[in-house]
Amino acid sequence: MREPEGRLCAAGLVLLLVLAVAQSAFRFPRRYTPDWRSLDSRPLPTWFDEAKFGVFVHWGVFSVPAWGSEWFWWHWQGQPQPQYQRFMRENYPPDFSYADFGPQFTARFFQPDDWADLFQASGAKYVVFTTKHHEGFTNWPSSVSWNWNSKDLGPHRDLVGELGAAVRKRNMRYGLYHSLLEWFHPLYLLDKKNGFKTQNFVSAKTMPELYDLVNRYKPDVIWSDGDWECPDTYWNSTNFLSWLYNDSPVKDEVVVNDRWGENCSCHHGGYYNCQDKYSPQSLPKHKWEMCTSIDERSWGYRRDMAISDITSEFEIISELVQTVSLGGNYLLNIGPTKDGLIAPIFQERLLAVGKWLNVNGEAIYASKPWKVQSEKNTTSLWYTAKESNVYATFLHWPEGRVLSLESPISTSKTKVTMLGIQEELKWTKNPSGGLLIFLPLLSPSALPVEFAWTVKLTGVK
Ligand SMILES: *[C@@H]1O[C@H](CO)[C@@H](O)[C@H](O)[C@H]1NC(C)=O
Ligand SMILES: *[C@@H]1O[C@H](CO)[C@@H](O)[C@H](O)[C@H]1NC(C)=O
Ligand SMILES: *[C@@H]1O[C@H](CO)[C@@H](O)[C@H](O)[C@H]1NC(C)=O
């Protein structure tokens, strides 16, 4: 009587053990510990690498003076620069404070659906929005930013929530920019005075706001910034990130950048931004993103913008092409006005990217770096690959309409087409190896795009 029961028990135990092992291996995702070794080992959710192009939006109280840059407050009162002090003297009463700009941040004409339509038409797959810049003003009703948030003051609206809803309605991913530091927050200044040995600011402001942003808006990206004055241990970054990766409502899809404390950038976190406008010259080992601004001198809107400060369409497309070829994402910034309008020059540039991507997006979205990124001695021809196709985007139309490619090796199955044009292109073997491609004889108006054309190669090695 007893024996069979015992055997049954043993068999049951073995079964349980097998189940437990199977569960821990397949069912339950691994858990991350709050240290960089563990956090850095998390695979980046695949959507981010496939997205390739995003729009960055800098909007806040700095959009009210809209002069110089979004660092206005710092240049006026942090490390004063004479031209900022003169600007204030000449345009505002003597006792005017930065806080007095708050009520003038009206967002009166802010139509989140119009913005999102524009971003979608630009071909962006994600949008990153400033929830709070170094000035500390929150674009959402933060309960720990009393009277210095967009619900109590100025717009009296939840800007982060409204834009998020409009962006997601159009199937774009939604990322949140968040500054860890606040230049003039009394608790931050107190911690700074203590050599960052106390964490009053982090426990009263930074952490509550980061958790609130994640739980409330479920971001796809946390674009961290303002980390550089203190180590990640002060910011409690690894504790926050282990919660984000293990237990948060966005644990499977969220991606983060690398600005989580002094010396983190380019070394730790999710993908790497390294420094602003980072643009490596060869293929990095780690996923990265180039962030840059259409107005070369500012991220926030400024009224003193000149046409010579505006990045040309050609430069923007060239940067996008080079970035993607080198394995990066391209995040292009605009700064709306205080009343929520996007200057036509920014609209024009974004629409130009969209028009180009409409024709050439096949070579960009979800592509991978190829075995080589560009031909020797040139920065005007860039390769990407997808499935068995190789794409070569050339920025300048070659003299004599003959495009010479050194790296692809032709086979008996080689076919060449140009994106946006129906017929196959003629080609021969390049005497030096590679291919000579005879581009179509077309009038400029019949070309699919004005610059940066893509040839698609199938059956090459
Ligand atoms: C840092 O994170 C840990 C774990 O979540 C928490 O217990 C601690 O209170 C946090 N410290 C601060 C200063 O926020
Ligand atoms: C960051 O790097 C600098 C230069 O190597 C070093 O002096 C500093 O101690 C580092 N800070 C931290 C927090 O590791
Ligand atoms: C490329 O540069 C190398 C070294 O500077 C030079 O020897 C070579 O001739 C160049 N090739 C072309 C096609 O210009």
Side-chain angles (χ1 to χ4, degrees), residues 154-303:
H156 298 289
R157 290 165 73 172
D158 174 6
L159 307 177
V160 176
E162 287 189 43
L163 183 61
V167 161
R168 288 194 157 130
K169 227 193 291 173
R170 290 159 182 81
N171 286 320
M172 291 178 283
R173 299 274 183 163
Y174 191 44
L176 303 181
Y177 168 104
H178 171 267
S179 171
L180 293 167
L181 70 76
E182 292 176 27
W183 288 317
F184 301 106
H185 194 290
L187 292 178
Y188 184 66
L189 296 178
L190 174 66
D191 288 345
K192 197 183 215 171
K193 215 177 87 200
N194 296 335
F196 296 114
K197 299 219 160 44
T198 55
Q199 287 174 291
N200 299 295
F201 176 67
V202 177
S203 50
K205 192 72 168 44
T206 320
M207 281 302 137
E209 287 191 336
L210 269 175
Y211 281 85
D212 184 28
L213 283 172
V214 172
N215 287 322
R216 217 194 271 234
Y217 303 110
K218 308 191 172 47
D220 298 298
V221 182
I222 298 179
W223 211 103
S224 183
D225 194 20
D227 60 319
W228 56 79
E229 289 189 337
C230 18
D232 62 80
T233 46
Y234 170 75
W235 295 120
N236 219 9
S237 298
T238 57
N239 277 310
F240 169 73
L241 289 173
S242 64
W243 170 78
L244 188 73
Y245 293 173
N246 290 329
D247 301 312
S248 82
V250 289
K251 64 187 170 58
D252 298 322
E253 293 288 290
V254 74
V255 303
V256 305
N257 65 349
D258 55 353
R259 297 185 180 178
W260 295 101
E262 199 184 338
N263 301 348
C264 280
S265 115
C266 242
H267 297 290
H268 297 299
Y271 69 82
Y272 294 169
N273 278 119
C274 301
Q275 65 275 21
D276 290 356
K277 309 192 184 183
Y278 173 60
S279 178
Q281 297 306 303
S282 58
L283 184 66
K285 289 205 176 68
H286 193 92
K287 181 65 195 180
W288 62 284
E289 176 191 60
M290 177 187 187
C291 63
T292 190
S293 186
I294 295 180
D295 174 1
E296 288 169 7
R297 291 171 53 188
S298 179
W299 300 82
Y301 180 73
R302 62 189 180 101
R303 293 172 285 169

